[in-house]
Amino acid sequence: MTITSTSTDIVSPPLSRAARVGVGLCLVAAGLTNGLSQYLGELFMPELEDFSAQILWSADHPVVHAVEQTALLVSLLVLPLGLLGLANITRWAAPRLTAVGVVLMLWGMWGFHNVVALGYAAGTVGPDALGTAAAVELNEEYLDHVGTMATALLPHLLGSFLGLLLLAVAGLRGRSLSHPLPRLPLLLLIGFLVWDFFLPAAGPLEPHLLLAIALVWLGVHVLRLPQAVWVNPGQGRTAA
C-alpha cells in the first residue's frame, strides 16, 4: 500500500513558526558573534602563540580583545539553540546520527562555554583586577588544573568536534527529504572543523571565516524554509 503525505496532513504545533524564526536568527547571530568575531580578531591581532600571549597583547589593545571575548560569550547563548534547531531537521533523515550528535554537541557546548567564561575571567577581567602578569599566570594554571580539563577543555575538544561533525553528516544524508539542508554550508562546516582542529591558518584566511559563512547560510535557509517543511521535512515522500 502506498501512502503519500501532503501539506494538508501537517499540523503545526503551537509557536512552531516562532521557533523556526528563532532558530534561523540564532544561527545567523552565532555566525556573526562566534565565527566572524574570531575571524576579525585574527585579522586585527598579530600572530600570537597562545591565549596567554593574547592577554599580554591586549594590555595595549583592550578594546579589540574585550569585543572579541564578549561576542564569544554572547555566541554561547545562541549557538546551541541554533544547532538544536538544525537537529530538528536532520533527525528525519538520520535519527541515530542526530541523536548521538546532539548529545555530543551539548556536552561540547557546555565545555566551550566554560572555556570562554574562564578565558573571559582571566583575559578580560583579570588584567584590571590582578594585573597583567597575574592574569597570564592564572590562565596558565587553568591548563594544568584537572577540573578545568574535565569540565572545559576535554568536553569542548571532543564534544564540539564530534557533535558538529555528526550533525553535519546527518544533514548531508538528507537527500530523502523533500526540502533538505543545502550541502555547501554543511561541507564548509566540516571544512572548518578539520581546519580549525588540525591545520594552521594561511595568511589572511582563517578557519572561522568558514564557520561564519556556514552558520549564516544555514540560518537564512531556515528563515526561508516553508513552515510545513519545518514541521515535517519528510513530507511528500512516498513510503511503502
Side-chain angles (χ1 to χ4, degrees):
M1 181 178 179
T2 300
I3 301 176
T4 303
S5 63
T6 65
S7 59
T8 59
D9 299 323
I10 305 301
V11 178
S12 182
L15 298 180
S16 180
R17 186 180 304 276
R20 176 177 59 80
V21 172
V23 165
L25 293 176
C26 281
L27 287 168
V28 172
L32 299 177
T33 57
N34 193 304
L36 186 61
S37 71
Q38 292 193 77
Y39 175 67
L40 293 178
E42 289 291 332
L43 291 184
F44 280 108
M45 298 178 196
E47 187 173 347
L48 300 170
E49 183 177 353
D50 53 23
F51 190 67
S52 291
Q54 182 175 332
I55 295 175
L56 292 172
W57 179 85
S58 69
D60 296 322
H61 308 83
V63 175
V64 175
H65 174 85
V67 168
E68 183 210 26
Q69 293 297 301
T70 302
L72 280 178
L73 277 178
V74 173
S75 76
L76 266 299
L77 173 65
V78 292
L79 181 56
L81 295 175
L83 294 174
L84 284 174
L86 287 182
N88 180 66
I89 299 174
T90 64
R91 68 188 176 93
W92 292 93
R96 293 182 179 85
L97 274 178
T98 298
V100 177
V102 163
V103 171
L104 288 171
M105 179 271 293
L106 290 177
W107 182 50
M109 290 296 104
W110 172 63
F112 187 32
H113 177 274
N114 292 337
V115 167
V116 174
L118 291 170
Y120 190 90
T124 306
V125 179
D128 289 335
L130 307 172
T132 302
V136 170
E137 184 178 355
L138 176 61
N139 182 68
E140 293 296 326
E141 288 298 320
Y142 285 156
L143 301 177
D144 296 326
H145 195 277
V146 175
T148 302
M149 291 294 297
T151 63
L153 294 176
L154 181 62
H156 171 47
L157 293 175
L158 288 180
S160 297
F161 178 82
L162 295 175
L164 286 174
L165 181 63
L166 290 180
L167 285 179
V169 173
L172 291 173
R173 293 187 61 182
R175 293 181 179 180
S176 60
L177 302 181
S178 63
H179 200 97
L181 291 172
R183 297 175 63 84
L184 186 53
L186 295 173
L187 292 174
L188 289 176
L189 184 57
I190 294 174
F192 157 74
L193 292 170
V194 174
W195 190 358
D196 187 48
F197 278 80
F198 301 110
L199 301 172
L205 298 179
E206 198 271 341
H208 287 93
L209 178 61
L210 300 186
L211 179 64
I213 295 172
L215 291 177
V216 171
W217 190 333
L218 290 170
V220 171
H221 176 80
V222 172
L223 287 171
R224 299 177 62 186
L225 202 64
Q227 182 61 24
V229 175
W230 166 256
V231 176
N232 181 1
Q235 67 166 319
R237 290 180 297 168
T238 299

